[in-house]
Amino acid sequence: MDSTKICTLILTFAFLSIPTFGQAPLSFLYEPSAEHPFGLPNPDAPQEIKDWAPLIGECDCESITRKQDQTWNDPVATLWRFKYIMNGMAVQDESLKADGTHSGSIRQFVADSSKWYVHFYSSSSNVSTLPTWEGTKVEAGKIILYRPNKAPNGMDGFYKISFYDIEESGFKWLGEWVDPAETVHFPLWKFTCKKRN
């Protein structure tokens, strides 16, 4: 047998030996598609995936942040988009702001702790480790998230995020510093959002 035939046999055997994982075609039914541009919740995901259901889609928002002198900046027009990712097992959002300071988050629910973990990133800060908030949907229909954060004077506290007034037509968002007992509230950033049709 000549070398050409030997090489052909070796290549054929090698090709037939590649694992095919049961020959089943990959199917990602819950990913964003033409029919469902923001994806769908996966029925195998924790039921809490639906906490974000009213926010899925796009909203026109006003973002207002606090200045160093403690007054408020002018509102910045923002497109805030929420969608299901990882084949409907998690939620991602991105906020695209007219001033160029875009940001986003990956939202995953961990059943063992019964909490949402939200990993935040921004075009205005490059960090090696993403800051993470954790929390839950509470009885009043709000979604509340916390991250340890010291005040400028060194006092212990949290950066608290609240999604509230959540309706099919839109929602409100507040980022504030609070002390551990939540007797002190100092708002730092807020959004008012209306759902696009």
Side-chain angles (χ1 to χ4, degrees):
M1 184 178 295
D2 63 33
S3 60
T4 302
K5 289 183 179 179
I6 292 172
C7 287
T8 301
L9 285 172
I10 291 171
L11 289 173
T12 301
F13 177 76
F15 178 77
L16 292 174
S17 300
I18 295 173
T20 58
F21 304 103
Q23 302 287 339
L26 293 176
S27 179
F28 304 110
L29 300 176
Y30 308 103
E31 277 291 289
S33 63
E35 186 177 358
H36 302 286
F38 307 107
L40 293 167
N42 192 314
D44 292 332
Q47 65 178 359
E48 286 81 2
I49 194 78
K50 295 180 181 176
D51 289 352
W52 303 101
L55 285 70
I56 298 296
E58 293 182 339
C59 283
D60 291 306
C61 306
E62 284 191 344
S63 165
I64 305 175
T65 55
R66 194 180 287 277
K67 298 178 184 178
Q68 291 288 342
D69 65 5
Q70 309 308 328
T71 62
W72 290 97
N73 285 299
D74 292 333
V76 176
T78 304
L79 169 64
W80 202 343
R81 178 185 299 125
F82 283 76
K83 63 183 178 180
Y84 295 105
I85 60 167
M86 298 195 304
N87 200 30
M89 299 297 287
V91 173
Q92 180 180 22
D93 70 89
E94 55 185 343
S95 56
L96 305 173
K97 302 175 188 68
D99 65 3
T101 57
H102 314 309
S103 57
S105 297
I106 303 293
R107 304 168 183 274
Q108 292 178 283
F109 188 81
V110 177
D112 288 349
S113 62
S114 296
K115 290 183 180 179
W116 281 101
Y117 291 85
V118 179
H119 313 284
F120 175 80
Y121 49 90
S122 171
S123 63
S124 62
S125 62
N126 296 316
V127 294
S128 58
T129 303
L130 297 178
T132 302
W133 277 256
E134 58 183 74
T136 60
K137 184 176 181 179
V138 297
E139 289 182 8
K142 298 178 180 179
I143 299 174
I144 308 293
L145 305 160
Y146 294 91
R147 178 173 184 263
N149 185 262
K150 287 186 180 291
N153 65 2
M155 182 178 177
D156 287 336
F158 297 90
Y159 195 117
K160 177 183 179 183
I161 291 174
S162 302
F163 288 85
Y164 65 103
D165 289 351
I166 300 171
E167 300 176 355
E168 292 298 330
S169 59
F171 64 93
K172 293 179 181 176
W173 182 100
L174 177 65
E176 59 184 333
W177 185 87
V178 298
D179 70 311
E182 295 200 43
T183 55
V184 178
H185 293 257
F186 187 71
L188 297 165
W189 193 3
K190 52 191 176 181
F191 283 87
T192 301
C193 298
K194 291 184 179 180
K195 202 76 170 283
R196 287 187 172 185
N197 294 330

